[in-house]
Amino acid sequence: MRLLLLLFIFSNFLFSQKYDPLFVEAGNRGYHFKVWVYFDKKVDGKYIELSNKNLNRRVKNNSNFKNNWYDKKIPGKYKKELESLGFQIENESRWLNAVTVKCSKAELVKISDLPFVKKIEPVIMGKKQRLKYEPTLSYNHIRDIDYGGSEAQMNQINCIAAHESGFYGQGVRILYIDTGYDLTHEAFDSLNLIYQYDFINDDLNTANETNDEVANSQDNHGTLCLSVLGGYKEGSLIGPAYRSEFLLAKTEIVNNEIEVEEDNFVAALEWGEQNGADIAVSSLGYFDWYEYEDMDGNTAVTTLAVDIAASLGVLCVTSAGNMGNDPWNYIMAPADADSVISVGAVNLNGDISYFSSNGPTFDGRIKPEVCALGVSTYCVRSNTLSEYRTASGTSLSSPLVGGAAAVILSANFNLTAMQIRQALMNTASNSVNPDTSLGYGVINVVDAINYAYEMELEEKIITVKDYKISKIYPNPFNSQLNIQLINVRARDVKIVVHDINGRLIENLYQSKVLSSDLDIKWSPKEIPSGLYLISVSSANHKKVQKVMYLK
């Protein structure tokens, strides 16, 4: 039965004011609708355990904190009280301090009356990227390693040259979020799988299952997308990051309505971050029950989760969407996130595809960030052992960029997630004059590697040994940010805050420092949650750090 979107209004029920109250009827699933229940505090919560790989990534990305608010579990007493009222918790997010439950319209009042409930919002359904299949292509090869049908897409982003230099994504851990994965294909024989989890059926099997709503095709989309990124079969297909480590998350429910649910996506992203993912890649998009004004980087649940993951040092790559020839036209969440790399689709000539979603975001930021081949991209044929095909969609261009990011990181493990993002954008084909269709253009892996080296060298050159930022904490922060500088006596120091678009938010300090050290506290007023840039300058030296403010 198709999901119907109806309006309902009742005075004592609290929904987000940005949306009209929503009522979703889905009778064949046995419930009325599904909602996020947000809690007001994290009281007496315990902390999750973090691996050394996770902590090392956070330190490198200036997220060097342990047992922060995001690592604190949702208090068990909140969940127990909901369960005692007969509600089954479907998913939970410690990042959002929220759980999802299925309930009837009448039961919403019961939930909203609980004193620890902050707000209730609907779980948004959306559509996955539509794929178009094309005839299998063939190429003639003269290289030592035969890339088969994938040679064209790898050449376009200059990734084969990076492979020839010894960079294959080795040592990098990638989280892929999609419909599921059939790993019996020959292209996955050497896949370095670390963990996998099915967030739909709550088990460890990400392939097709008999209880999937479409048991014979659930994993199709994820299988072919994963092959573009990490597949390896010489003479047939080689992905950019075929030597990386992989975390595979099955999140998208595939049925006749092609539905997906944001809570599975958020749960998978948290799971991947906890298990040490350096990069998170997805080919999913959400827009059906959003408006264009919601593509502002601060509204959609998946968008918020992506920005939180980025603040913890995870580089997030996602499809821009396939709505360029649709009345919607624009990118879909989470491609509107401030820190994500959203990817458009081009043909082999580098021309933007008619279906690739356009920018800008509602608040005026350029989207997509970059592009890769999304027209007749070579991939495996799902649920076969050795067959291949081509397909079209930004679902295929996103894994090429995600794999390229892993190759760049394998060339220099000191790079932060935002440095890789910057390197990819500033060396892409349209970087001189970015626009709202190509963004910064088609990526160039070798140029990005070289740019990143130069960028790191520049940072080392301008660093003065006796002058440094000792600490900016906590990051993310809720009400107050602490900025500590050491060895700054007799220096003229300026500390300012800008938003992600470069607009001045506040001057925090501008004077000659009389003491050895300087402590500054910033308590934002009347600004939205989001990413901000703290700039500390003295003479010709400048240090910029990104922080996330959460109300």
Side-chain angles (χ1 to χ4, degrees):
M1 181 182 294
R2 169 176 285 273
L3 294 180
L4 300 177
L5 191 64
L6 306 174
L7 295 177
F8 70 94
I9 300 175
F10 47 96
S11 60
N12 59 344
F13 177 59
L14 177 62
F15 257 116
S16 170
Q17 292 184 352
K18 191 157 189 177
Y19 296 99
D20 289 331
L22 301 174
F23 178 81
V24 179
E25 180 184 308
N28 65 336
R29 294 204 182 193
Y31 63 96
H32 291 290
F33 53 91
K34 193 175 185 181
V35 295
W36 285 99
V37 179
Y38 290 82
F39 304 128
D40 58 352
K41 297 177 182 178
K42 285 188 176 180
V43 181
D44 301 327
K46 298 180 179 180
Y47 292 95
I48 62 170
E49 293 185 8
L50 300 175
S51 66
N52 288 333
K53 184 170 179 59
N54 182 302
L55 291 172
N56 289 339
R57 186 201 66 235
R58 292 188 182 188
V59 170
K60 180 183 70 173
N61 286 272
N62 292 321
S63 299
N64 53 335
F65 48 87
K66 186 178 180 181
N67 291 346
N68 64 79
W69 190 85
Y70 292 124
D71 297 334
K72 201 171 187 179
K73 297 180 180 179
I74 296 173
K77 63 181 182 180
Y78 293 171
K79 295 188 289 184
K80 286 181 180 178
E81 188 156 351
L82 278 174
E83 290 170 341
S84 70
L85 294 174
F87 299 108
Q88 179 181 347
I89 294 174
E90 299 291 314
N91 263 318
E92 62 179 83
S93 169
R94 64 179 185 280
W95 290 355
L96 303 176
N97 196 25
V99 299
T100 59
V101 300
K102 298 173 182 177
C103 60
S104 67
K105 175 179 176 180
E107 289 171 330
L108 288 171
V109 178
K110 186 187 300 185
I111 297 174
S112 64
D113 285 342
L114 294 172
F116 53 82
V117 171
K118 182 179 180 180
K119 64 178 179 178
I120 304 171
E121 293 181 342
V123 173
I124 303 299
M125 303 290 190
K127 293 182 180 178
K128 73 179 178 69
Q129 308 296 299
R130 301 185 185 95
L131 296 178
K132 297 182 178 181
Y133 297 104
E134 308 291 347
T136 299
L137 305 179
S138 61
Y139 300 91
N140 295 319
H141 314 284
I142 57 174
R143 298 181 181 278
D144 292 337
I145 298 178
D146 187 349
Y147 282 76
S150 61
E151 181 172 0
Q153 63 211 44
M154 293 286 285
N155 260 334
Q156 186 181 51
I157 61 175
N158 204 13
C159 193
I160 293 177
H163 281 183
E164 291 172 343
S165 299
F167 308 126
Y168 319 95
Q170 61 270 33
V172 179
R173 186 166 292 183
I174 301 173
L175 165 69
Y176 211 104
I177 303 175
D178 214 291
T179 65
Y181 316 90
D182 171 27
L183 302 182
T184 62
H185 195 283
E186 63 180 10
F188 300 121
D189 287 349
S190 59
L191 191 78
N192 187 2
L193 178 62
I194 304 301
Y195 302 117
Q196 58 180 323
Y197 198 80
D198 180 347
F199 288 86
I200 300 170
N201 299 305
D202 196 24
D203 60 36
L204 302 179
N205 178 22
T206 60
N208 287 335
E209 298 185 55
T210 55
N211 55 335
D212 287 328
E213 293 203 21
V214 183
N216 63 344
S217 61
Q218 171 71 41
D219 61 20
N220 284 1
H221 186 268
T223 301
L224 62 89
C225 292
L226 177 63
S227 74
V228 172
L229 188 155
Y232 183 88
K233 179 60 178 179
E234 189 171 350
S236 296
L237 179 148
I238 297 178
Y242 66 88
R243 288 193 181 175
S244 289
E245 302 172 352
F246 287 90
L247 304 170
L248 301 181
K250 175 181 175 182
T251 64
E252 179 185 353
I253 303 171
V254 178
N255 62 19
N256 292 333
E257 299 300 325
I258 322 178
E259 295 162 15
V260 283
E261 294 181 346
E262 285 187 305
D263 58 335
N264 286 339
F265 185 101
V266 174
L269 198 54
E270 291 187 24
W271 171 80
E273 190 280 329
Q274 183 179 354
N275 284 287
D278 300 298
I279 298 170
V281 185
S282 70
S283 296
L284 306 176
Y286 306 85
F287 76 100
D288 281 341
W289 284 276
Y290 287 125
E291 302 294 337
Y292 174 51
E293 53 261 36
D294 298 320
M295 300 295 108
D296 61 356
N298 294 303
T299 299
V301 169
T302 50
T303 298
L304 297 175
V306 160
D307 276 341
I308 292 171
S311 75
L312 297 174
V314 180
L315 178 64
C316 297
V317 180
T318 194
S319 298
N322 298 331
M323 309 307 293
N325 198 39
D326 185 271
W328 172 271
N329 182 52
Y330 296 107
I331 55 166
M332 302 185 289
D336 66 312
D338 295 321
S339 302
V340 79
I341 299 178
S342 61
V343 185
V346 295
N347 61 23
L348 276 178
N349 294 324
D351 302 320
I352 196 69
S353 165
Y354 71 91
F355 58 74
S356 189
S357 289
N358 298 292
T361 59
F362 183 72
D363 55 323
R365 288 173 287 118
I366 289 177
K367 292 286 180 175
E369 272 74 18
V370 295
C371 292
L373 189 68
V375 178
S376 297
T377 308
Y378 201 77
C379 56
V380 304
R381 186 181 294 273
S382 302
N383 293 296
T384 70
L385 297 179
S386 58
E387 295 180 27
Y388 297 84
R389 73 191 317 165
T390 60
S392 299
T394 57
S395 288
L396 287 306
S397 54
S398 178
L400 282 170
V401 173
V407 171
I408 297 166
L409 182 55
S410 69
N412 188 344
F413 283 103
N414 292 325
L415 294 173
T416 67
M418 290 301 103
Q419 285 175 326
I420 296 172
R421 182 177 184 270
Q422 180 182 349
L424 281 166
M425 293 166 62
N426 287 352
T427 57
S429 62
N430 202 38
S431 60
V432 175
N433 188 29
D435 57 40
T436 56
S437 57
L438 280 170
Y440 287 76
V442 178
I443 63 169
N444 186 312
V445 178
V446 172
D447 284 355
I449 290 173
N450 293 332
Y451 179 91
Y453 277 130
E454 294 169 4
M455 179 170 52
E456 188 181 35
L457 181 61
E458 280 184 13
E459 290 183 354
K460 289 179 180 177
I461 290 174
I462 67 172
T463 299
V464 181
K465 290 184 179 180
D466 62 348
Y467 158 66
K468 70 175 185 177
I469 300 176
S470 176
K471 188 181 291 186
I472 294 182
Y473 69 96
N475 186 14
F477 70 104
N478 178 256
S479 58
Q480 180 174 278
L481 183 72
N482 302 288
I483 305 169
Q484 296 181 349
L485 281 70
I486 62 175
N487 298 329
V488 289
R489 184 191 299 273
R491 293 181 184 274
D492 290 311
V493 172
K494 183 177 181 180
I495 305 176
V496 297
V497 182
H498 292 87
D499 67 12
I500 199 68
N501 295 311
R503 292 186 288 263
L504 178 66
I505 299 299
E506 188 172 346
N507 284 307
L508 299 182
Y509 184 89
Q510 186 170 5
S511 182
K512 179 169 287 191
V513 183
L514 302 179
S515 58
S516 176
D517 301 334
L518 178 65
D519 292 339
I520 298 293
K521 301 184 186 303
W522 179 40
S523 298
K525 295 180 176 62
E526 298 180 353
I527 65 171
S529 297
L531 290 166
Y532 293 88
L533 303 174
I534 308 297
S535 174
V536 180
S537 57
S538 176
N540 294 322
H541 307 294
K542 186 176 183 179
K543 177 77 173 179
V544 178
Q545 183 167 329
K546 182 178 288 189
V547 297
M548 175 171 279
Y549 171 53
L550 294 171
K551 286 188 175 180

